[in-house]
């Protein structure tokens, strides 16, 4: 019998004009501390971002989103945060911030297949 994994996930958002608080969902971060799973799926819909802010710096946004991927993977070129343990990286990724890239509060769930769950959440909330 396959084990249920208790996971947390957060929605990754781009808020092109922070003062307006309008956002576009661009990704999902999913973490299961027990199994050591930390994954992210990202898709930036430039058309949606431009609808909220025609002058948004899409190159800068893409570079910052890539840093989220590097931190999730624990890549050596992901800076000091990427070298932290999994729980610390997830907490940093989901910390409240008032910048162009933000996340929802973490939400819990149960899954038998974390990769499939990440894909499902991505399709439901981003695509």
């Amino acid at each position: 019998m396959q084990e249920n994994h208790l996971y947390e996930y957060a929605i990754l958002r781009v808020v092109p004009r922070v003062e307006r608080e309008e956002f576009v969902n661009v990704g999902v971060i999913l973490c299961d501390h027990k199994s050591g799973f930390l994954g992210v799926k990202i898709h930036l819909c430039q058309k949606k971002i431009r609808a909220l802010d025609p002058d948004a710096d899409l190159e800068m946004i893409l570079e910052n989103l890539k840093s989220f991927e590097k931190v999730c993977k624990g890549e050596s070129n992901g800076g000091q945060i990427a070298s932290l343990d999994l729980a610390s990286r997830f907490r940093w990724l989901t910390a409240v911030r008032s910048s162009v890239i933000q996340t929802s509060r973490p939400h819990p769930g149960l899954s038998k297949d974390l990769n499939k769950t990440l894909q499902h959440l991505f399709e439901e909330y981003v695509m």
Side-chain angles (χ1 to χ4, degrees):
M1 185 169 172
Q2 199 171 15
E3 176 185 359
N4 262 331
H5 298 276
L6 176 62
Y7 66 86
E8 292 181 274
Y9 76 94
I11 306 301
L12 192 55
R13 302 170 172 158
V14 170
V15 187
R17 295 179 60 190
V18 176
E19 66 279 4
R20 292 182 62 166
E21 298 184 10
E22 299 169 325
F23 62 86
V24 175
N25 291 345
V26 297
V28 177
I29 303 167
L30 189 141
C31 180
D32 172 27
H33 304 286
K34 187 176 176 185
S35 70
F37 182 92
L38 180 57
V40 63
K41 290 192 76 62
I42 295 171
H43 172 75
L44 181 65
C45 180
Q46 296 182 11
K47 185 177 178 180
K48 288 181 181 179
I49 302 298
R50 289 276 187 231
L52 295 180
D53 182 2
D55 299 321
D57 186 346
L58 294 174
E59 284 185 43
M60 182 272 307
I61 292 169
L62 284 169
E63 282 303 309
N64 282 291
L65 289 172
K66 286 178 187 176
S67 71
F68 273 68
E69 291 176 328
K70 291 175 185 177
V71 169
C72 274
K73 293 177 183 176
E75 292 182 359
S76 59
N77 64 346
Q80 291 181 335
I81 303 300
S83 66
L84 297 174
D85 63 83
L86 183 123
S88 298
R89 284 185 282 150
F90 182 71
R91 292 294 164 233
W92 182 87
L93 289 165
T94 59
V96 175
R97 45 181 68 86
S98 62
S99 65
V100 172
I101 298 178
Q102 300 179 10
T103 60
S104 69
R105 291 187 330 253
H107 306 281
L110 287 173
S111 172
K112 292 191 184 302
D113 185 325
L114 295 167
N115 283 307
K116 283 185 181 177
T117 299
L118 177 59
Q119 182 64 35
H120 169 74
L121 292 169
F122 179 72
E123 289 172 4
E124 184 174 342
Y125 295 118
V126 178
M127 300 307 288

